[in-house]
Short mmCIF file of all heavy atoms in Angstrom, two decimals:
data_model
loop_
_atom_site.label_atom_id
_atom_site.label_comp_id
_atom_site.label_asym_id
_atom_site.label_seq_id
_atom_site.Cartn_x
_atom_site.Cartn_y
_atom_site.Cartn_z
N MET A 1 -17.30 28.50 13.00
CA MET A 1 -16.22 27.53 13.22
C MET A 1 -16.84 26.14 12.95
O MET A 1 -16.15 25.31 12.31
CB MET A 1 -15.72 27.66 14.66
CG MET A 1 -14.58 26.70 14.90
SD MET A 1 -13.13 27.23 14.02
CE MET A 1 -11.91 26.43 14.87
N ALA A 2 -18.02 25.85 13.45
CA ALA A 2 -18.58 24.51 13.25
C ALA A 2 -18.89 24.24 11.73
O ALA A 2 -18.75 23.11 11.28
CB ALA A 2 -19.92 24.39 14.05
N CYS A 3 -19.27 25.29 11.03
CA CYS A 3 -19.53 25.07 9.57
C CYS A 3 -18.21 24.76 8.81
O CYS A 3 -18.29 23.89 7.90
CB CYS A 3 -20.14 26.34 8.97
SG CYS A 3 -21.81 26.68 9.54
N ILE A 4 -17.20 25.32 9.20
CA ILE A 4 -15.93 25.03 8.48
C ILE A 4 -15.47 23.57 8.80
O ILE A 4 -15.02 22.92 7.91
CB ILE A 4 -14.83 26.03 9.00
CG1 ILE A 4 -15.12 27.42 8.53
CG2 ILE A 4 -13.40 25.60 8.54
CD1 ILE A 4 -14.24 28.47 9.04
N VAL A 5 -15.67 23.18 10.02
CA VAL A 5 -15.31 21.81 10.34
C VAL A 5 -16.18 20.76 9.63
O VAL A 5 -15.73 19.75 9.13
CB VAL A 5 -15.38 21.56 11.92
CG1 VAL A 5 -15.25 20.07 12.25
CG2 VAL A 5 -14.34 22.45 12.57
N LEU A 6 -17.50 21.08 9.51
CA LEU A 6 -18.45 20.20 8.83
C LEU A 6 -18.18 20.11 7.32
O LEU A 6 -18.21 19.05 6.76
CB LEU A 6 -19.88 20.61 9.10
CG LEU A 6 -20.41 20.32 10.54
CD1 LEU A 6 -21.83 20.86 10.66
CD2 LEU A 6 -20.35 18.87 10.89
N LEU A 7 -17.85 21.29 6.69
CA LEU A 7 -17.55 21.30 5.34
C LEU A 7 -16.24 20.64 4.98
O LEU A 7 -16.10 19.99 3.92
CB LEU A 7 -17.59 22.69 4.78
CG LEU A 7 -18.94 23.38 4.74
CD1 LEU A 7 -18.85 24.78 4.27
CD2 LEU A 7 -19.94 22.63 3.86
N ALA A 8 -15.27 20.71 5.83
CA ALA A 8 -13.98 20.06 5.59
C ALA A 8 -14.04 18.58 5.70
O ALA A 8 -13.30 17.79 5.04
CB ALA A 8 -12.95 20.61 6.52
N GLY A 9 -15.03 18.02 6.43
CA GLY A 9 -15.22 16.58 6.50
C GLY A 9 -15.86 15.90 5.34
O GLY A 9 -15.94 14.72 5.21
N CYS A 10 -16.36 16.70 4.42
CA CYS A 10 -17.08 16.16 3.19
C CYS A 10 -16.23 16.15 1.95
O CYS A 10 -16.71 16.13 0.93
CB CYS A 10 -18.32 16.99 2.97
SG CYS A 10 -19.49 16.96 4.25
N ALA A 11 -14.89 16.13 2.18
CA ALA A 11 -13.94 16.11 1.02
C ALA A 11 -13.99 14.79 0.30
O ALA A 11 -14.10 13.74 0.97
CB ALA A 11 -12.59 16.47 1.40
N THR A 12 -13.84 14.75 -1.00
CA THR A 12 -13.81 13.46 -1.73
C THR A 12 -12.53 13.40 -2.60
O THR A 12 -11.98 14.48 -2.92
CB THR A 12 -15.03 13.30 -2.64
OG1 THR A 12 -15.05 14.42 -3.59
CG2 THR A 12 -16.28 13.30 -1.87
N VAL A 13 -12.16 12.26 -2.98
CA VAL A 13 -11.05 12.08 -3.89
C VAL A 13 -11.57 11.34 -5.05
O VAL A 13 -12.19 10.35 -5.05
CB VAL A 13 -9.91 11.20 -3.18
CG1 VAL A 13 -8.78 10.88 -4.15
CG2 VAL A 13 -9.41 11.89 -1.94
N LYS A 14 -11.21 11.90 -6.27
CA LYS A 14 -11.57 11.27 -7.53
C LYS A 14 -10.31 11.02 -8.33
O LYS A 14 -9.45 11.83 -8.42
CB LYS A 14 -12.52 12.13 -8.34
CG LYS A 14 -13.89 12.34 -7.64
CD LYS A 14 -14.86 13.08 -8.52
CE LYS A 14 -16.17 13.21 -7.77
NZ LYS A 14 -17.19 13.85 -8.65
N VAL A 15 -10.26 9.77 -8.98
CA VAL A 15 -9.08 9.41 -9.78
C VAL A 15 -9.59 9.23 -11.19
O VAL A 15 -10.58 8.51 -11.48
CB VAL A 15 -8.51 8.09 -9.23
CG1 VAL A 15 -7.36 7.69 -10.09
CG2 VAL A 15 -8.07 8.28 -7.81
N TYR A 16 -8.90 9.82 -12.16
CA TYR A 16 -9.25 9.77 -13.54
C TYR A 16 -8.14 9.02 -14.30
O TYR A 16 -6.96 9.27 -14.05
CB TYR A 16 -9.48 11.06 -14.13
CG TYR A 16 -10.71 11.78 -13.55
CD1 TYR A 16 -10.55 12.63 -12.43
CD2 TYR A 16 -11.94 11.60 -14.08
CE1 TYR A 16 -11.61 13.28 -11.91
CE2 TYR A 16 -13.03 12.21 -13.52
CZ TYR A 16 -12.90 13.11 -12.46
OH TYR A 16 -14.04 13.69 -11.87
N SER A 17 -8.52 8.32 -15.39
CA SER A 17 -7.46 7.54 -16.13
C SER A 17 -7.07 8.25 -17.39
O SER A 17 -6.24 7.71 -18.10
CB SER A 17 -8.07 6.12 -16.41
OG SER A 17 -9.19 6.20 -17.26
N ASP A 18 -7.70 9.39 -17.68
CA ASP A 18 -7.31 10.07 -18.89
C ASP A 18 -7.06 11.58 -18.60
O ASP A 18 -7.37 12.10 -17.61
CB ASP A 18 -8.41 9.92 -19.94
CG ASP A 18 -9.72 10.57 -19.48
OD1 ASP A 18 -10.02 10.71 -18.29
OD2 ASP A 18 -10.55 10.91 -20.38
N ALA A 19 -6.35 12.20 -19.53
CA ALA A 19 -5.98 13.64 -19.38
C ALA A 19 -7.20 14.57 -19.43
O ALA A 19 -7.14 15.62 -18.83
CB ALA A 19 -4.90 14.00 -20.36
N GLY A 20 -8.26 14.17 -20.16
CA GLY A 20 -9.39 15.00 -20.29
C GLY A 20 -10.36 14.92 -19.11
O GLY A 20 -11.42 15.55 -19.13
N LEU A 21 -10.03 14.12 -18.09
CA LEU A 21 -10.87 13.97 -16.92
C LEU A 21 -12.27 13.49 -17.22
O LEU A 21 -13.26 13.95 -16.68
CB LEU A 21 -10.87 15.27 -16.11
CG LEU A 21 -9.53 15.77 -15.62
CD1 LEU A 21 -9.67 17.06 -14.84
CD2 LEU A 21 -8.85 14.76 -14.75
N LYS A 22 -12.42 12.50 -18.16
CA LYS A 22 -13.64 11.95 -18.52
C LYS A 22 -13.94 10.64 -17.95
O LYS A 22 -15.03 10.26 -17.56
CB LYS A 22 -13.80 11.89 -20.11
CG LYS A 22 -13.58 13.18 -20.79
CD LYS A 22 -14.82 14.10 -20.60
CE LYS A 22 -14.61 15.30 -21.44
NZ LYS A 22 -15.45 16.40 -21.02
N ASN A 23 -12.88 9.73 -17.87
CA ASN A 23 -13.09 8.39 -17.39
C ASN A 23 -12.68 8.26 -15.97
O ASN A 23 -11.47 8.19 -15.59
CB ASN A 23 -12.21 7.40 -18.19
CG ASN A 23 -12.65 7.32 -19.67
OD1 ASN A 23 -13.81 7.43 -19.94
ND2 ASN A 23 -11.71 7.01 -20.55
N GLU A 24 -13.66 8.27 -15.04
CA GLU A 24 -13.39 8.17 -13.66
C GLU A 24 -13.09 6.68 -13.28
O GLU A 24 -13.86 5.83 -13.62
CB GLU A 24 -14.55 8.66 -12.85
CG GLU A 24 -14.29 8.80 -11.33
CD GLU A 24 -15.44 9.45 -10.58
OE1 GLU A 24 -16.24 10.13 -11.18
OE2 GLU A 24 -15.46 9.19 -9.35
N THR A 25 -11.96 6.42 -12.67
CA THR A 25 -11.57 5.10 -12.27
C THR A 25 -11.29 5.03 -10.81
O THR A 25 -11.34 6.01 -10.17
CB THR A 25 -10.38 4.65 -13.10
OG1 THR A 25 -9.28 5.50 -12.82
CG2 THR A 25 -10.65 4.58 -14.57
N GLY A 26 -10.88 3.92 -10.41
CA GLY A 26 -10.51 3.68 -8.96
C GLY A 26 -8.96 3.64 -8.82
O GLY A 26 -8.25 3.65 -9.77
N LEU A 27 -8.59 3.63 -7.62
CA LEU A 27 -7.16 3.57 -7.23
C LEU A 27 -6.89 2.21 -6.76
O LEU A 27 -7.44 1.74 -5.74
CB LEU A 27 -6.84 4.66 -6.22
CG LEU A 27 -5.42 4.77 -5.75
CD1 LEU A 27 -4.51 5.21 -6.85
CD2 LEU A 27 -5.35 5.70 -4.57
N ARG A 28 -5.92 1.48 -7.46
CA ARG A 28 -5.68 0.10 -7.10
C ARG A 28 -4.55 0.13 -5.99
O ARG A 28 -3.58 0.83 -6.04
CB ARG A 28 -5.14 -0.65 -8.25
CG ARG A 28 -4.84 -2.11 -7.99
CD ARG A 28 -4.48 -2.85 -9.20
NE ARG A 28 -5.59 -2.89 -10.20
CZ ARG A 28 -6.65 -3.80 -10.14
NH1 ARG A 28 -6.65 -4.62 -9.24
NH2 ARG A 28 -7.48 -3.67 -11.12
N PHE A 29 -4.81 -0.70 -4.96
CA PHE A 29 -3.79 -0.87 -3.96
C PHE A 29 -3.71 -2.31 -3.52
O PHE A 29 -4.63 -3.09 -3.77
CB PHE A 29 -4.06 0.04 -2.62
CG PHE A 29 -5.31 -0.33 -1.98
CD1 PHE A 29 -5.26 -1.16 -0.90
CD2 PHE A 29 -6.60 0.15 -2.30
CE1 PHE A 29 -6.39 -1.48 -0.12
CE2 PHE A 29 -7.72 -0.20 -1.66
CZ PHE A 29 -7.62 -1.04 -0.58
N TYR A 30 -2.55 -2.66 -2.98
CA TYR A 30 -2.32 -4.06 -2.58
C TYR A 30 -2.19 -4.16 -1.05
O TYR A 30 -1.58 -3.27 -0.42
CB TYR A 30 -1.07 -4.59 -3.23
CG TYR A 30 -1.17 -4.61 -4.74
CD1 TYR A 30 -0.68 -3.53 -5.55
CD2 TYR A 30 -1.72 -5.67 -5.36
CE1 TYR A 30 -0.72 -3.56 -6.89
CE2 TYR A 30 -1.83 -5.69 -6.82
CZ TYR A 30 -1.39 -4.62 -7.51
OH TYR A 30 -1.46 -4.63 -8.85
N THR A 31 -2.74 -5.18 -0.54
CA THR A 31 -2.62 -5.42 0.95
C THR A 31 -1.17 -5.90 1.19
O THR A 31 -0.49 -6.40 0.33
CB THR A 31 -3.59 -6.52 1.39
OG1 THR A 31 -3.40 -7.67 0.70
CG2 THR A 31 -5.03 -5.95 1.23
N LEU A 32 -0.79 -5.78 2.41
CA LEU A 32 0.58 -6.19 2.81
C LEU A 32 0.66 -7.62 3.25
O LEU A 32 -0.24 -8.15 3.87
CB LEU A 32 1.13 -5.26 3.92
CG LEU A 32 1.28 -3.77 3.52
CD1 LEU A 32 1.79 -3.01 4.74
CD2 LEU A 32 2.26 -3.63 2.36
N LYS A 33 1.79 -8.24 3.03
CA LYS A 33 1.93 -9.59 3.43
C LYS A 33 3.39 -9.72 4.13
O LYS A 33 4.36 -9.26 3.57
CB LYS A 33 1.95 -10.58 2.23
CG LYS A 33 2.02 -11.98 2.52
CD LYS A 33 1.80 -12.82 1.27
CE LYS A 33 1.85 -14.29 1.59
NZ LYS A 33 1.63 -15.05 0.35
N PRO A 34 3.47 -10.35 5.33
CA PRO A 34 4.74 -10.46 5.96
C PRO A 34 5.58 -11.51 5.41
O PRO A 34 5.13 -12.65 5.00
CB PRO A 34 4.41 -10.80 7.42
CG PRO A 34 3.07 -11.44 7.37
CD PRO A 34 2.31 -10.82 6.16
N TYR A 35 6.89 -11.23 5.24
CA TYR A 35 7.92 -12.18 4.73
C TYR A 35 9.04 -12.21 5.77
O TYR A 35 9.33 -11.23 6.40
CB TYR A 35 8.46 -11.78 3.39
CG TYR A 35 7.43 -11.97 2.26
CD1 TYR A 35 6.67 -10.89 1.90
CD2 TYR A 35 7.35 -13.16 1.54
CE1 TYR A 35 5.69 -11.04 0.87
CE2 TYR A 35 6.46 -13.27 0.52
CZ TYR A 35 5.60 -12.22 0.20
OH TYR A 35 4.73 -12.45 -0.86
N LEU A 36 9.68 -13.36 5.90
CA LEU A 36 10.77 -13.55 6.78
C LEU A 36 12.06 -13.34 6.00
O LEU A 36 12.33 -14.08 5.06
CB LEU A 36 10.76 -14.94 7.49
CG LEU A 36 11.92 -15.18 8.38
CD1 LEU A 36 11.87 -14.25 9.54
CD2 LEU A 36 11.86 -16.65 8.90
N LEU A 37 12.89 -12.40 6.28
CA LEU A 37 14.10 -12.04 5.67
C LEU A 37 15.25 -12.69 6.49
O LEU A 37 15.45 -12.34 7.63
CB LEU A 37 14.34 -10.59 5.47
CG LEU A 37 15.70 -10.11 4.92
CD1 LEU A 37 15.82 -10.64 3.46
CD2 LEU A 37 15.78 -8.58 4.97
N VAL A 38 16.01 -13.56 5.86
CA VAL A 38 17.14 -14.24 6.51
C VAL A 38 18.38 -13.84 5.79
O VAL A 38 18.50 -14.03 4.58
CB VAL A 38 17.01 -15.72 6.56
CG1 VAL A 38 18.20 -16.46 7.25
CG2 VAL A 38 15.70 -16.21 7.17
N GLU A 39 19.31 -13.14 6.46
CA GLU A 39 20.59 -12.75 5.86
C GLU A 39 21.81 -13.16 6.68
O GLU A 39 21.71 -13.04 7.93
CB GLU A 39 20.58 -11.23 5.54
CG GLU A 39 20.23 -10.42 6.78
CD GLU A 39 19.94 -8.94 6.42
OE1 GLU A 39 20.54 -8.44 5.43
OE2 GLU A 39 19.17 -8.32 7.11
N PRO A 40 22.90 -13.52 6.08
CA PRO A 40 24.11 -13.99 6.83
C PRO A 40 24.77 -12.72 7.44
O PRO A 40 24.74 -11.62 6.89
CB PRO A 40 24.98 -14.55 5.79
CG PRO A 40 24.51 -14.10 4.54
CD PRO A 40 23.07 -13.71 4.63
N MET A 41 25.29 -12.88 8.62
CA MET A 41 26.01 -11.80 9.25
C MET A 41 27.52 -11.97 8.92
O MET A 41 28.12 -13.07 9.01
CB MET A 41 25.83 -11.86 10.73
CG MET A 41 24.41 -11.58 11.17
SD MET A 41 24.10 -11.42 12.87
CE MET A 41 25.01 -9.99 13.26
N ALA A 42 28.18 -10.90 8.50
CA ALA A 42 29.57 -10.98 8.07
C ALA A 42 30.52 -11.11 9.25
O ALA A 42 31.64 -11.62 9.02
CB ALA A 42 29.93 -9.80 7.19
N GLU A 43 30.18 -10.59 10.42
CA GLU A 43 31.12 -10.48 11.53
C GLU A 43 31.37 -11.87 12.15
O GLU A 43 32.42 -12.11 12.64
CB GLU A 43 30.67 -9.54 12.56
CG GLU A 43 30.45 -8.13 12.11
CD GLU A 43 29.05 -7.89 11.57
OE1 GLU A 43 28.09 -8.48 12.07
OE2 GLU A 43 28.92 -7.09 10.62
N LYS A 44 30.36 -12.69 12.19
CA LYS A 44 30.48 -13.96 12.90
C LYS A 44 30.26 -15.14 11.99
O LYS A 44 29.60 -15.08 10.97
CB LYS A 44 29.36 -13.99 14.02
CG LYS A 44 29.59 -12.90 15.05
CD LYS A 44 28.56 -12.93 16.14
CE LYS A 44 28.71 -11.77 17.10
NZ LYS A 44 27.67 -11.74 18.11
N ASP A 45 30.81 -16.25 12.32
CA ASP A 45 30.71 -17.50 11.53
C ASP A 45 29.38 -18.20 11.84
O ASP A 45 28.96 -18.30 13.01
CB ASP A 45 31.88 -18.45 11.80
CG ASP A 45 33.15 -17.78 11.24
OD1 ASP A 45 33.13 -17.03 10.37
OD2 ASP A 45 34.16 -18.16 11.87
N ASN A 46 28.71 -18.70 10.82
CA ASN A 46 27.53 -19.50 10.91
C ASN A 46 26.41 -18.86 11.71
O ASN A 46 25.66 -19.55 12.39
CB ASN A 46 27.88 -20.84 11.54
CG ASN A 46 28.85 -21.68 10.67
OD1 ASN A 46 28.82 -21.49 9.47
ND2 ASN A 46 29.67 -22.42 11.37
N THR A 47 26.25 -17.58 11.64
CA THR A 47 25.10 -16.84 12.23
C THR A 47 24.31 -16.16 11.18
O THR A 47 24.90 -15.72 10.12
CB THR A 47 25.59 -15.92 13.32
OG1 THR A 47 26.39 -14.94 12.70
CG2 THR A 47 26.30 -16.62 14.46
N VAL A 48 23.10 -15.97 11.44
CA VAL A 48 22.24 -15.28 10.49
C VAL A 48 21.39 -14.20 11.26
O VAL A 48 21.16 -14.30 12.46
CB VAL A 48 21.21 -16.19 9.79
CG1 VAL A 48 21.97 -17.13 8.88
CG2 VAL A 48 20.38 -17.00 10.78
N LYS A 49 21.06 -13.18 10.54
CA LYS A 49 20.15 -12.15 11.08
C LYS A 49 18.78 -12.32 10.46
O LYS A 49 18.62 -12.49 9.22
CB LYS A 49 20.70 -10.79 10.71
CG LYS A 49 19.86 -9.63 11.18
CD LYS A 49 20.47 -8.36 10.71
CE LYS A 49 19.45 -7.20 11.02
NZ LYS A 49 19.94 -5.90 10.42
N THR A 50 17.73 -12.34 11.30
CA THR A 50 16.36 -12.48 10.81
C THR A 50 15.58 -11.23 11.04
O THR A 50 15.72 -10.63 12.11
CB THR A 50 15.71 -13.72 11.37
OG1 THR A 50 15.61 -13.57 12.79
CG2 THR A 50 16.38 -15.01 11.02
N SER A 51 14.68 -10.92 10.18
CA SER A 51 13.76 -9.82 10.37
C SER A 51 12.49 -10.06 9.55
O SER A 51 12.54 -10.74 8.58
CB SER A 51 14.43 -8.46 10.07
OG SER A 51 14.84 -8.50 8.75
N VAL A 52 11.43 -9.36 9.89
CA VAL A 52 10.17 -9.45 9.26
C VAL A 52 10.01 -8.19 8.38
O VAL A 52 10.11 -7.14 8.86
CB VAL A 52 8.97 -9.66 10.19
CG1 VAL A 52 7.69 -9.66 9.38
CG2 VAL A 52 9.11 -10.92 10.96
N VAL A 53 9.74 -8.37 7.14
CA VAL A 53 9.51 -7.26 6.21
C VAL A 53 8.14 -7.42 5.59
O VAL A 53 7.70 -8.55 5.39
CB VAL A 53 10.59 -7.10 5.05
CG1 VAL A 53 11.93 -6.80 5.67
CG2 VAL A 53 10.66 -8.42 4.25
N TYR A 54 7.46 -6.40 5.38
CA TYR A 54 6.08 -6.38 4.78
C TYR A 54 6.21 -5.84 3.38
O TYR A 54 6.64 -4.75 3.07
CB TYR A 54 5.15 -5.48 5.61
CG TYR A 54 4.86 -6.12 7.00
CD1 TYR A 54 5.66 -5.85 8.02
CD2 TYR A 54 3.82 -7.02 7.14
CE1 TYR A 54 5.43 -6.36 9.26
CE2 TYR A 54 3.51 -7.50 8.32
CZ TYR A 54 4.35 -7.20 9.39
OH TYR A 54 4.12 -7.81 10.66
N LEU A 55 5.75 -6.71 2.42
CA LEU A 55 5.77 -6.41 0.99
C LEU A 55 4.35 -6.51 0.45
O LEU A 55 3.50 -7.18 1.03
CB LEU A 55 6.69 -7.36 0.25
CG LEU A 55 8.18 -7.38 0.69
CD1 LEU A 55 8.94 -8.47 -0.07
CD2 LEU A 55 8.80 -6.04 0.41
N PRO A 56 4.06 -5.84 -0.70
CA PRO A 56 2.73 -5.95 -1.30
C PRO A 56 2.45 -7.38 -1.75
O PRO A 56 3.24 -8.03 -2.35
CB PRO A 56 2.80 -5.03 -2.48
CG PRO A 56 4.02 -4.21 -2.28
CD PRO A 56 4.93 -4.93 -1.42
N ASP A 57 1.21 -7.80 -1.45
CA ASP A 57 0.76 -9.14 -1.85
C ASP A 57 0.06 -8.99 -3.20
O ASP A 57 -1.03 -8.51 -3.37
CB ASP A 57 -0.28 -9.66 -0.89
CG ASP A 57 -0.64 -11.12 -1.16
OD1 ASP A 57 -0.13 -11.68 -2.11
OD2 ASP A 57 -1.53 -11.65 -0.46
N LEU A 58 0.82 -9.25 -4.27
CA LEU A 58 0.34 -9.01 -5.63
C LEU A 58 -0.75 -9.96 -6.04
O LEU A 58 -1.45 -9.74 -7.10
CB LEU A 58 1.55 -9.06 -6.60
CG LEU A 58 2.65 -8.08 -6.38
CD1 LEU A 58 3.79 -8.31 -7.43
CD2 LEU A 58 2.13 -6.63 -6.42
N SER A 59 -1.01 -11.05 -5.29
CA SER A 59 -2.10 -11.93 -5.62
C SER A 59 -3.44 -11.47 -5.16
O SER A 59 -4.49 -11.91 -5.62
CB SER A 59 -1.80 -13.30 -5.09
OG SER A 59 -1.82 -13.29 -3.65
N ARG A 60 -3.40 -10.45 -4.28
CA ARG A 60 -4.65 -9.92 -3.70
C ARG A 60 -4.59 -8.38 -3.84
O ARG A 60 -3.77 -7.69 -3.29
CB ARG A 60 -4.80 -10.30 -2.27
CG ARG A 60 -5.00 -11.77 -2.05
CD ARG A 60 -5.12 -12.12 -0.59
NE ARG A 60 -6.20 -11.43 -0.05
CZ ARG A 60 -6.40 -11.22 1.32
NH1 ARG A 60 -5.56 -11.72 2.10
NH2 ARG A 60 -7.45 -10.60 1.74
N SER A 61 -5.51 -7.82 -4.63
CA SER A 61 -5.56 -6.35 -4.76
C SER A 61 -7.02 -5.89 -4.50
O SER A 61 -7.96 -6.71 -4.61
CB SER A 61 -5.07 -5.96 -6.08
OG SER A 61 -5.98 -6.38 -7.09
N ALA A 62 -7.18 -4.62 -4.28
CA ALA A 62 -8.49 -4.02 -4.08
C ALA A 62 -8.45 -2.72 -4.87
O ALA A 62 -7.40 -2.08 -5.12
CB ALA A 62 -8.71 -3.78 -2.62
N VAL A 63 -9.66 -2.29 -5.25
CA VAL A 63 -9.81 -1.00 -5.95
C VAL A 63 -10.62 -0.08 -5.10
O VAL A 63 -11.76 -0.47 -4.70
CB VAL A 63 -10.45 -1.22 -7.31
CG1 VAL A 63 -10.68 0.08 -8.07
CG2 VAL A 63 -9.60 -2.18 -8.20
N TYR A 64 -10.10 1.07 -4.90
CA TYR A 64 -10.83 2.12 -4.07
C TYR A 64 -11.34 3.19 -5.03
O TYR A 64 -10.59 3.64 -5.98
CB TYR A 64 -9.89 2.70 -3.10
CG TYR A 64 -10.47 3.89 -2.36
CD1 TYR A 64 -11.38 3.66 -1.29
CD2 TYR A 64 -10.23 5.25 -2.63
CE1 TYR A 64 -11.94 4.72 -0.60
CE2 TYR A 64 -10.75 6.24 -2.00
CZ TYR A 64 -11.64 5.97 -1.00
OH TYR A 64 -12.25 7.01 -0.31
N GLY A 65 -12.58 3.56 -4.88
CA GLY A 65 -13.13 4.72 -5.67
C GLY A 65 -14.22 4.29 -6.70
O GLY A 65 -14.67 5.23 -7.33
N TYR A 66 -14.51 3.06 -6.84
CA TYR A 66 -15.57 2.68 -7.88
C TYR A 66 -16.91 3.00 -7.21
O TYR A 66 -17.24 2.79 -6.16
CB TYR A 66 -15.48 1.24 -8.26
CG TYR A 66 -14.55 1.06 -9.41
CD1 TYR A 66 -13.42 0.28 -9.22
CD2 TYR A 66 -14.78 1.64 -10.62
CE1 TYR A 66 -12.53 0.06 -10.32
CE2 TYR A 66 -13.89 1.44 -11.65
CZ TYR A 66 -12.82 0.67 -11.51
OH TYR A 66 -11.92 0.45 -12.54
#
């Protein structure tokens, strides 16, 4: 049982950019950035609904797997 647990912990992920699996590349991901969403409410006059949404920050990216 201990051997199975130890071997399962050594899994790796590899990302390739070509169909022949020759060019190993990384996986690009973007960090999240909070934005304030303000939208008018239709039921009441002069009121707004606010919420925070998290969207990708395209100015900052990182590459995983190099």
Side-chain angles (χ1 to χ4, degrees):
M1 183 71 163
C3 290
I4 293 173
V5 172
L6 290 175
L7 291 176
C10 298
T12 60
V13 175
K14 292 186 179 183
V15 179
Y16 294 92
S17 63
D18 62 336
L21 302 178
K22 302 286 184 200
N23 294 330
E24 188 174 341
T25 61
L27 180 66
R28 182 173 300 277
F29 66 95
Y30 297 96
T31 57
L32 296 178
K33 186 175 183 179
Y35 289 91
L36 180 63
L37 176 63
V38 179
E39 51 190 330
M41 295 185 69
E43 300 88 34
K44 300 179 182 178
D45 294 332
N46 297 328
T47 58
V48 293
K49 176 184 173 187
T50 60
S51 59
V52 177
V53 294
Y54 291 89
L55 300 174
D57 186 5
L58 299 179
S59 66
R60 297 178 56 197
S61 67
V63 177
Y64 174 77
Y66 274 116

